[in-house]
Structure formats: C-alpha cells, structure tokens
Amino acid sequence: MSDAGAAPHGRETDSGLPLRPVYGPADAPAGDYAERLGDPGAYPFTRGRRPAGADGGWIQRELSGEGDSGRSNEQFRYLIAHGATGLDVIGDTPTMAWMDPDHPVSAPAVGTQGVSLCCLQDWLDLYDGLPLDRLTLSHSVPAPFAVAGLYLTARRRGVDPTLLRGSVVQAPFYCEDCGYATHMPFELRVRLAVDSIEFASRAMPRFHAFLEDTYYISDGGLDAVEEMALGFVEIRHLVRELVRRRVPVDRFAPRIAILVNFRMDFFEEIAKIRAARRLYARMMREEFGAADPRAWAVNIAAHTSGLTLTAQQPVNNVVRGATQALGLVLAGVQGIEVSTFDEAFRTPSPEGHLVAFRTQQVIALETGVTRVADPLGGSWYLESLTGRLEHRIREMIERIEAMGPPEGLCDGKWFRALFLDAMERRAHQLNAGRLVQVGVNAQQMPEAEDTLLRNVTERKIAPAAPRIERLRALRRERDAGLVAAALRAVCGAAEDRAAHLMPPLIAATEAGATIGEMAGALRAGYGRPPDPFGMVPLPW
C-alpha cells in the first residue's frame, strides 16, 4: 500500500505519513479479511496473538536494578509486594560494556544506572530467595553472560532450567553505536548472539533468549518506520545464521520476542505494533518456512518512551506514561514497563516505581479496556495506518539489505550516521516548534515555580563503591589455576571459529571468572587487545 491515496492537509504522523482530515470505508485496505487481519489469535496476528476470550492481561513489570545484587534483590521484593508480575533487570554501564567494577574506568558508574553484575555470586545474590520457576525474569544484560548466570543459578538452587521464563536482549548490530560499546568485532558479536540463542533453545526452552530490542535504538530519535525496519534487519540476519547452522526454525522461533518503544503519536504507535506482528508472521511462515503456528506469532513487549520524558515539570511525565501505557494495552502487547516520571534524572526511585505500577493497575482494573479483544480493530484510520506502515517498514528493510552485508554497514558507520541524523532531526523539530512538548516549548513555567516532585527526581544515587573491594576479595579467594584454565579454554574456543562458545563460557562462570576476564579472553581469541583501554592484563 502506498501513500498516494492520502490527501495531505498539512498534517502527518511522526514518521511523515500524510493524513486525511477524516477516514471512511474507502480508506480501508483492500484484501481478504482472513489474510489481511484475521481474528485475534489467528494468522497473520494483526489483531494480536491471543484468541478472543483469552485473558487480556499482560506482564506488569518495571525497569529495575541498582547498586549491587543485594540492593537490587531488595528492590525486586519491593516491586513484587506492589504488584509486579515479572522482573526486568538492567545492568549498570560497566556490566553492559563487559567490564568489571574494579576496572580503573568503571568506578564512577558502578551501580548507578543499573545493577553491577560480574560473576556467578552476583547472580546467586540477585535472585536469592525468589521463586525462579514462577517469575518471568527479563534482562538487559550481555546475553551470553545472562544465560550462563541464570542457567547456573537455577542449577545451584535445584530448579530445572527448562522451567525458566523471561528474556534477554540481543544487540549485536547496534550496541557499539547506540548503547554500550563492547569493543568486540561484528563477527564475534553475532556469534555470541547465535550461540546463546541456540543453547537456550535446548537447555532453557521456555526462555526468550532472542529478544530484539528496538526500544533502545529508537529512543535517540528514530521514527516508527526506522525503529521497526532496523529491528527486522537484525532479526532476519540472526534467523538466517541459525538456519545456516541447521537449527530447526520451529525450535527457536516460538521464543523470539520484540521489545518496542511507544512514543506520543498514539495511533501511529498502535499501528506500528499491529504492522510488526503481520510482517513477522508472513516472514516466518512464507520466507523462513516455519510450520509451527507459535513461530508465526511474535511476542511483543514494550517500554513507554524515555525520550518523551522531560526534566521540566516532571509531573507531566506521569500523564505521558499513562497515555502510552493505555495505547500499549489497546495494541495487545504481552508485557509493559512504564518509564517512571523521574527517569529523565535517574534510575527509578521507589516513588517512581509505585506510580508506574499504579498506572498499569488503574488501566487493568478500572477502565474495562481488556473486556474485548482488539477493541480498535476495523477502525478505518487505524487499519489504513497499519497497512501504510507495514509497506514503509518493508521498503526500508529491502533498501538496507540491498546495500550489502550488515557487517559492512556496521563497521562503515552507516547505522551510526542514521542514529545521529535522527537525533539532529528531532532537535530541529523541537527547536522549530514542529514537535511540541508541554513544559519544554509550550506551557513553560518559571524554574522557581516548577517544584512539584523535585524532592524525588533530584535525589542522587551514589556509586556502589564497597563492591570493588568485595570483588578484589573474591579474586584472592578463588582457585586462580582453575580460573586461568577456564579462561584459556574460552580464548581457544574463540580462536576456533567452528566451536560453540557457550560451554566454555558457562564453565568459566562456574569456575569464578568475571565478565571482564571472559570478555578479554574472547577478544584475545580474535586477535584484539583483551582490555580495549590497555589497563588490565589477562589473568594467565
């Protein structure tokens, strides 16, 4: 479907789709109902993956993790006591960059933007006393490290790893440009992603080890089309790699999930999610030959947008979170996290978490929006947007894939340029008033009067400094010979391009190696400096 039929009247979506003043039957996309929409729970899953009559609920969770594992464990218990039905853990900056907290450049950031995790004891402390087989445990932590840590924690606790549920983000394409640089080559990043997905598909079959995170790449300014196109480019490459290794598509595809963003363009964001489900279903069935219907229905979870939060008038962020969360429920997602009102300043405070949970609970328990499946289905406007977004996303996927192998685009900084252009575009839109944010370029307020919630938002988080000494003590107490042998095995497996990396990584984690040491061994196996900063030698 093209935009040719639209009659611009000076208004367009945030992605630039021109809009009519009003929509009617002539705007409904052509085609057979079953092929274009289908009932809820049926191919192509435009109307959601749950059948009509099923529970319309979702996993309610909030971004969490702060300080060390013990402090984060206390935070998890607070969240569960206030209604969390799942946990979502994010690592601090050193963890996300595969660095240890005692690395000379880590100290100022330890535990301030997430939880500090670097060894098996951290995983044991993180989930101490929590029911691993009854919670969904989602992670924004380097995927192989998270899979190894969670797998070993379950075994130590006497929990069958096949019962573990949750997810971990895979980010081999874009992490170097838009998140936390790992200083690992593209080939190694993809290999780690594929190995961890393949391992989990056998050893942790209920766990979504293939979570495509389009949230973090889009929260710098990408629009809805760019967000989903880049996500699908990465998904398609990883699926091809798994298929090339002869991993049956019906074994891993039912556990692919997408974590999307939800910004303030209410109907475009709902249409984006519907379009993504339809694109995914057709791709998996018709292109990759999946035969299991569970492999056609992608699980979509979402965060409300951190980019739309403002430091000005932070109470407005409560309204933004509620609006976006309602849109996500109407779109039929499986998990929601509301970015808290204070996330423009810090990781979520207890007060921020509480407001975010109450937002989800009011929507779930008071509004009645889940009483029927896909209540917006059939809207001429929404179905028109869905069709046009699907067309635009597919066009961009084809354009990117026609440009050549993704390794060249990553190493040639093509994606980085796209991210930078998107940030500049958004800044220009705000400065020119084409993008309106209340409190920023509309309805502004003198700073002296902007005091509501300031006592919470401006509270500081101190780095978890004692953690560094505890790690040094662990190094002194562990079996140094056993650790060195395990790290040499990781390095040897990395050098052997046909070897599977998960067995030696799991063995090294169990022996007491740290994430920074394992990253150094992996880089050394690819001929790279073990420490990209040249400050820490390998321990063998």
Side-chain angles (χ1 to χ4, degrees), residues 64 72-80 87 89 126 130:
S64 53
S72 295
N73 183 280
E74 293 173 5
Q75 187 184 52
F76 298 164
R77 292 172 186 274
Y78 171 86
L79 297 175
I80 293 168
L87 298 174
V89 185
L126 187 70
L130 299 178

Side-chain angles (χ1 to χ4, degrees), residues 173-174 186 212 228-241 279 283-284 287-288 392-410 414-415 418:
F173 278 29
Y174 311 120
F186 178 87
E212 177 64 36
M228 298 317 304
L230 264 59
F232 272 100
V233 165
E234 188 168 64
I235 290 172
R236 291 163 60 81
H237 185 79
L238 294 181
V239 169
R240 290 188 185 110
E241 282 296 301
L279 264 170
M283 176 183 78
M284 295 310 299
E287 183 175 349
F288 292 110
R392 286 283 188 92
I393 295 167
R394 184 183 294 110
E395 271 190 338
M396 188 167 182
I397 295 168
E398 292 172 354
R399 191 164 67 249
I400 293 172
E401 292 188 339
M403 294 170 69
E407 182 172 2
L409 298 179
C410 284
W414 187 87
F415 293 116
L418 184 68

Side-chain angles (χ1 to χ4, degrees), residues 48-94:
R49 67 197 303 270
R50 292 195 187 95
D55 176 16
W58 62 93
I59 297 172
Q60 297 180 16
R61 58 193 177 207
E62 288 299 323
L63 193 66
S64 53
E66 185 178 285
D68 61 16
S69 296
R71 187 161 140 198
S72 295
N73 183 280
E74 293 173 5
Q75 187 184 52
F76 298 164
R77 292 172 186 274
Y78 171 86
L79 297 175
I80 293 168
H82 287 83
T85 55
L87 298 174
D88 186 12
V89 185
I90 187 167
D92 64 359
T93 296

